[in-house]
Amino acid sequence: MQGGSAGSTLLAMARYLVTSALPYANGPIHFGHVVGAYLPADLYVRTLRLKGEDVAFICGTDEHGTSITIGAERAGQEPPEYVAHWRAEIRSLFDRLGIEFDVFSGTSVCPHHAELSREFFRRLDEGGYLLKKAEEQLFCPSCERFLADRFVLGTCYVCGYEKARGDECPKCGTWLDALRLIEPRCRVCGTKPETRSTTHWYLDLPKLRDEHVGAWFAAGDWKPNVKAFVEGQLKDLQPRPITRDMKWGVPVPEEIAGDEVGKVLYVWFDAPIGYVSFTREWAEARGEPELWKEYWRSEDTRLVHFIGKDNIPFHCVIFPSMLFGTKQGYVLPWNVPANEFYNLQGRKFNTSENWTIPLDEFFASYDPEAARFYLIASMPETADSEWRWEEFQRTVNNLADTIGNLATRVLRFIAKNFDGRIPAIAADHVEELDREILSECGPIADPADSVLAYRFRRASEELLANAAVANVFVDRQAPWALRKTDPERAASVLNTACEWIGYVARWMTPFLPGKAQRLWSMLGHTDEVGARGWPDVPRPGAWRILTAGTPLGEVEGLFAKLDDETIAREIAALEERARG
């Protein structure tokens, strides 16, 4: 059977191919985008690698379509220059947040993309999965161009929503026929469009569903929001157009286009092929040009798409249909852990209305890794969630109190009273102190289990709870008092606390990679914190790795706490920007 069933259980010898939805190179992205598709994928990939798994992490920008041409015109640029600018801007945000892809390319610059997109088109045509037909399409006489569905606005004929797009109603979620919109208008200039005849190719989704994709999806183990959404879509599936009349895009193969001129592949069709073409680019850069096939055409590959919920139909219906329809042995998605929407302070992110967080200003004032952790801790996994400045403050201060305070109070005490070196543990203290910290100071969980089950918020809670165990241990043992009455036991307690701090640093690695390395270095380690792999849950008699007498590194604060005045100022500034 082509493709595999979805799931979250790690399989031995599995190869993981992880993708994040391609951001559209038509403007900046915000934290709502980041938390939907990019940060959860990065956390997942980092965790897999720490556990020794083979992973390729693929992304890049989606760079074709009418929106790009209109944006470029408004900016007074040619499309290649325009998309290059936004590709760099988007990549810079990922860099700031420590999101690291194996390849980050673009659909207009990847050397393999146009060729591979046309190959998909040809093979789908050869397989009988494309329909060619003349159709009426909306044309704007003022802009002098056919309008892509997303550039038609009007009233939804299903629910009456007045700002529906030509392809989909954002209120009721129905896929729409632009010609049936009530009172349609051009999104660019507001002109009422007219209908003109044109010829296009359609992907025969009902045929692909009936032949394989429907049964494949039914056999999967999907998140409830994904399962419910796709089951509804599959019941009323229609052929979907895959070509458009415009210049900026991948041209339809000449031998198929014939007399039809000015036809390019619809952006939604060529964009997901970027996952494959970018993987080929990555393999070629590694000097292994055929390596991409091991990830895309091997039965042991686990393909995982990280997306927001608005991309569910493309990744669970359309792209799997395209992959299957080529008959080239492509794997189908193993899982699509789609997130819900992420809002800002009670409202949707809206850059045009200034209801957003200016990121240059944000990163000039706040710790990017603290933001990274808060985004993980507030992720919209099963329901919409939001960025709230008050909760950002609470999370940052909790990090400072739980992890930052643990490190500084233990390590600075050692620096002052034990010559700045890891104290030794007496042999007759090991069993007792193991029992104390491993069994009596609080529950201990393995955050990796939650990450690999796509429960990222729970994983962040488990990390903090594990760190808190050492704070309870240190409070109970009070080494500052023991140093006066029983210095040998004080040394054993501090040695045990240092061991636990090392585990905290290793657990932190996929969540807070930079902070994890700093904490690891404070313990005197000179290697990379991730070099030793994922630590799992410590077990009595088999968890201690430190060498007594190792000099500590420079001990410094990890997190700066945020005060109420700072947060109140941010909320006031947000509201002021929105008022204009």
Side-chain angles (χ1 to χ4, degrees), residues 68-69 71-83 85-86:
I68 297 294
T69 61
E73 288 172 6
R74 289 174 175 169
Q77 297 174 318
E78 290 299 313
E81 179 185 3
Y82 181 76
V83 299
H85 167 76
W86 287 116

Side-chain angles (χ1 to χ4, degrees), residues 104-126:
F104 188 84
S105 188
T107 55
S108 72
V109 294
C110 173
H112 305 289
H113 185 72
E115 170 203 344
L116 187 62
S117 297
R118 284 190 287 267
E119 180 184 326
F120 264 68
F121 191 91
R122 290 187 187 99
R123 292 192 179 279
L124 288 166
D125 187 50
E126 291 168 1

Side-chain angles (χ1 to χ4, degrees), residues 389 393 563-575:
W389 278 102
Q393 176 193 23
D563 58 34
D564 294 343
E565 181 181 350
T566 297
I567 299 306
R569 187 166 59 247
E570 291 291 355
I571 295 172
L574 172 64
E575 294 171 346

Side-chain angles (χ1 to χ4, degrees), residues 24 71 86 90 159 178 182 212 225 228 288 292 295 308 310 346 351 380 387 417 459 511 538 564 574:
Y24 200 41
W86 287 116
I90 292 167
C159 71
I182 301 168
H212 180 70
N225 60 333
E288 302 176 80
W292 71 275
Y295 288 85
D310 52 336
T351 53
W387 175 288
N417 298 286
F511 299 87
D564 294 343
L574 172 64

